[in-house]
Amino acid sequence: MWAYIESLICWLSKSIRRLTLPQIIANEKISKLPLIWYSGPIVLVDNVKDAETCVAELMSEKVIGFDTESKPSFRKGEFHAPSLVQLAGESKVYLFQVEKIGGLRPLIPLFSNPDILKVGVGVDRDISSLNKIENFTASGFYDLGLLSHNLGVINTGLRNLSGIFLKKRISKNAQLTDWSREVLTDKQKIYAATDAWISRLLYFRMKKFE
């Protein structure tokens, strides 16, 4: 009997929390929110040996924040494959420079592992772009947009979701910079690390509303 009551209380609590979630958030409201960025350790991975070592470390994680960055395209039909893959674990964020690590081969064991959850926004698009570099079978990926829709939230995108669930704003100032450059700026590193880190943070925050 008590187990049923506890279960009912838990369900009611989550239902009430869901009712407080806005379906959409206006850009004007987001712009007034305090900025949030990643300030923890960032590991820049720019050779095959380090890539294999870092992937081995990530294989012990249960949930990883995932994102990619590509050189921006300004012409219709122009496509650039991802130059950077960002993976956020519990205590640090890894930035893999794809060309410098010889492609995706060091990352495939992680990308194909169904037991390690890789969470992000626009995951299918990122996987499709990565498959143009090297074909692999993706497993264990989860799009936060699906979770937000299940919670009745219409807005997706990291900026919107951060505003709704964290009441914080992430900067997009470095989004259209050249991610294929050999040496990334500190601004680019923080931007890239933040996107992967915030994806992981959002996953745990959003799951509380389920």
Side-chain angles (χ1 to χ4, degrees):
M1 182 66 176
W2 282 112
Y4 170 77
I5 293 174
E6 288 177 355
S7 176
L8 181 61
I9 292 173
C10 181
W11 178 82
L12 286 171
S13 176
K14 289 185 177 181
S15 297
I16 292 170
R17 285 203 300 269
R18 283 192 189 187
L19 291 174
T20 66
L21 287 174
Q23 288 187 318
I24 60 175
I25 185 168
N27 287 330
E28 294 79 9
K29 185 171 183 178
I30 294 176
S31 65
K32 295 177 182 178
L33 295 173
L35 271 172
I36 186 173
W37 63 90
Y38 180 70
S39 58
I42 298 174
V43 181
L44 184 65
V45 189
D46 58 5
N47 63 76
V48 175
K49 183 178 179 181
D50 286 351
E52 292 172 347
T53 299
C54 291
V55 167
E57 292 178 6
L58 284 162
M59 294 294 274
S60 64
E61 300 279 352
K62 297 297 183 183
V63 180
I64 294 172
F66 164 79
D67 196 23
T68 69
E69 300 297 340
S70 304
K71 181 179 179 180
S73 301
F74 298 107
R75 296 188 182 91
K76 185 177 180 180
E78 186 179 33
F79 170 79
H80 297 290
S83 298
L84 193 72
V85 174
Q86 305 104 272
L87 298 170
E90 184 177 0
S91 61
K92 63 183 77 170
V93 178
Y94 303 81
L95 308 181
F96 294 83
Q97 291 185 285
V98 176
E99 186 173 346
K100 288 188 175 183
I101 66 170
L104 299 179
R105 190 162 296 278
L107 291 164
I108 290 178
L110 181 62
F111 287 169
S112 302
N113 191 321
D115 298 321
I116 302 174
L117 197 61
K118 282 77 67 176
V119 298
V121 170
V123 167
D124 286 345
R125 180 186 64 246
D126 286 338
I127 292 173
S128 176
S129 297
L130 289 170
N131 266 307
K132 292 178 181 178
I133 300 174
E134 190 162 354
N135 191 48
F136 64 93
T137 301
S139 185
F141 284 87
Y142 187 73
D143 199 311
L144 295 175
L146 176 62
L147 182 53
S148 69
H149 285 146
N150 291 341
L151 295 173
V153 175
I154 296 173
N155 277 153
T156 56
L158 282 180
R159 191 168 184 266
N160 293 324
L161 294 178
S162 297
I164 291 172
F165 289 95
L166 303 175
K167 310 300 182 189
K168 303 288 186 181
R169 171 171 56 97
I170 58 173
S171 172
K172 286 295 179 181
N173 289 340
Q175 185 175 25
L176 297 179
T177 56
D178 185 2
W179 295 99
S180 66
R181 60 184 297 166
E182 186 171 351
V183 180
L184 297 177
T185 65
D186 289 341
K187 182 179 179 180
Q188 284 180 307
K189 293 175 189 176
I190 293 171
Y191 171 91
T194 296
D195 277 4
W197 169 72
I198 211 80
S199 292
R200 188 177 186 276
L201 192 64
L202 277 168
Y203 171 77
F204 289 109
R205 175 62 175 166
M206 294 166 72
K207 290 294 284 185
K208 292 181 179 179
F209 288 86
E210 276 197 319

